Amino acid sequence: MQPAAPSMGAPIFPDILCAVDGKEGGFNAVEQAVALAGTQGHVTSLVVTSYRSGGAHRSPAIGPVQATEILDHARGIAREAGVPYAQEVDPGSPPARVILDWGSRYDLLALGAPASSWPARMLSVGVGDKAIGGFANALLVSRPLAEGRRFGDRIVVASDGEESSRPLIEVAGKLAHPHGADVTLVHALGREPIRHGPLGERERTLQEQEQMLAAACAPGTSELQIKAGRAATAIVAAAAAADASVVVMGSRRRDGPRALGSVSRRVAHQAKCSVLLVPPAEGG
């Protein structure tokens, strides 16, 4: 995999926390966080050691030697890219809660999401609903890139056709600009039919957003797709068709049963690429 190239300009997210546990997915998250922070931003790696079990003879799930090796690897990624870096170790438990508490202090929390690691379990039930549906800051669910690909080289951004999606367009544009990435803007109609008459206000807003992306991603290409059907299905399909390296979308603050069916949660689970979730405070 070709390492993500950090931006030399203003960072998309100035202060990023990467939760790493020694799995490859965590190091993918560090590489992608480096690209988002840029040389003017800052990346912090966090290892949560916790404990395997209770009792007098309990031992940390990640021992001191392993934690040092993990952090050395993460530091090397940031150093090679020239991105300012720090590291933290927390013995607290449970890991998911510790990570979310730490993440609330940063602009973005980055997690690896291979099926075998704790981020995948965290995103499945319980705390995962809070992470995706109620987390106060942005969240990156990171997945590995194919050989020769760059993070952000092909982007899908989801819009609801409202002005509130404008910050999402701006994030996607900033990510696309350094490499002239190709960007697909997707809007799902749900159960509404596709209309062929004069443009309504929502369609005009979508066209304006596509024009913003076209200006930002040049010489890359931009495309507007208005799809019938459910939003999560349309977004995941668009990402697969575009062979996207990342989906940029909003994440509404929802807790409990409503979070179980949220669009962002479904896309984070089902997409084969990384998913960058921007909450309403930043993304409308």
Side-chain angles (χ1 to χ4, degrees):
M1 182 184 70
Q2 188 172 356
S7 169
M8 302 298 289
I12 298 175
F13 297 97
D15 202 10
I16 300 176
L17 179 71
C18 295
V20 289
D21 62 354
K23 304 292 194 306
E24 188 61 30
F27 298 127
N28 290 329
V30 175
E31 290 177 343
Q32 295 175 17
V34 159
L36 290 168
T39 55
Q40 296 185 35
H42 192 276
V43 170
T44 300
S45 292
L46 170 68
V47 172
V48 180
T49 55
S50 297
Y51 290 94
R52 297 184 187 278
S53 61
H57 303 290
R58 63 182 183 173
S59 61
I62 298 177
V65 173
Q66 184 184 7
T68 298
E69 292 174 348
I70 292 169
L71 292 171
D72 284 349
H73 188 173
R75 182 173 57 250
I77 294 170
R79 178 184 296 167
E80 183 177 356
V83 175
Y85 174 83
Q87 57 193 40
E88 300 284 351
V89 176
D90 193 317
S93 187
R97 173 51 58 195
V98 174
I99 289 160
L100 290 181
D101 288 344
W102 273 92
S104 65
R105 311 170 198 175
Y106 293 79
D107 300 309
L108 172 73
L109 170 63
L111 305 171
S116 60
S117 73
W118 59 258
R121 296 195 298 273
M122 189 184 100
L123 292 172
S124 61
V125 294
V127 176
D129 295 335
K130 296 184 182 298
I132 293 179
F135 191 59
N137 300 338
L139 176 69
L140 174 66
V141 180
S142 173
R143 291 186 172 87
L145 297 170
E147 187 69 29
R149 295 290 302 279
R150 285 189 179 276
F151 179 67
D153 60 352
R154 299 172 198 160
I155 302 167
V156 167
V157 55
S159 172
D160 60 6
E162 304 291 340
E163 271 301 312
S164 58
S165 289
R166 185 183 181 96
L168 294 174
I169 305 303
E170 293 174 349
V171 167
K174 290 177 181 178
L175 185 57
H177 179 72
H179 306 296
D182 296 329
V183 184
T184 302
L185 176 62
V186 178
H187 173 71
L189 293 170
R191 296 181 179 179
E192 298 180 31
I194 297 178
R195 298 190 296 273
H196 300 284
L199 291 177
E201 184 63 31
R202 183 169 50 179
E203 287 82 359
R204 281 192 289 271
T205 298
L206 288 166
Q207 287 196 344
E208 291 171 359
Q209 292 173 349
E210 192 274 331
Q211 291 168 4
M212 289 175 58
L213 289 171
C217 72
T221 63
S222 64
E223 178 186 10
L224 170 61
Q225 296 183 3
I226 300 178
K227 299 287 190 179
R230 302 176 67 174
T233 301
I235 296 166
V236 171
D243 194 16
S245 59
V246 62
V247 171
V248 179
M249 63 182 297
S251 176
R252 300 186 185 279
R253 292 194 178 96
R254 293 181 176 178
D255 296 312
R258 289 185 300 171
L260 295 174
S262 72
V263 174
S264 55
R265 184 178 185 275
R266 290 178 182 274
V267 174
H269 276 291
Q270 297 173 11
K272 302 302 182 183
C273 61
S274 297
V275 179
L276 176 59
L277 302 174
V278 184
E282 288 84 16

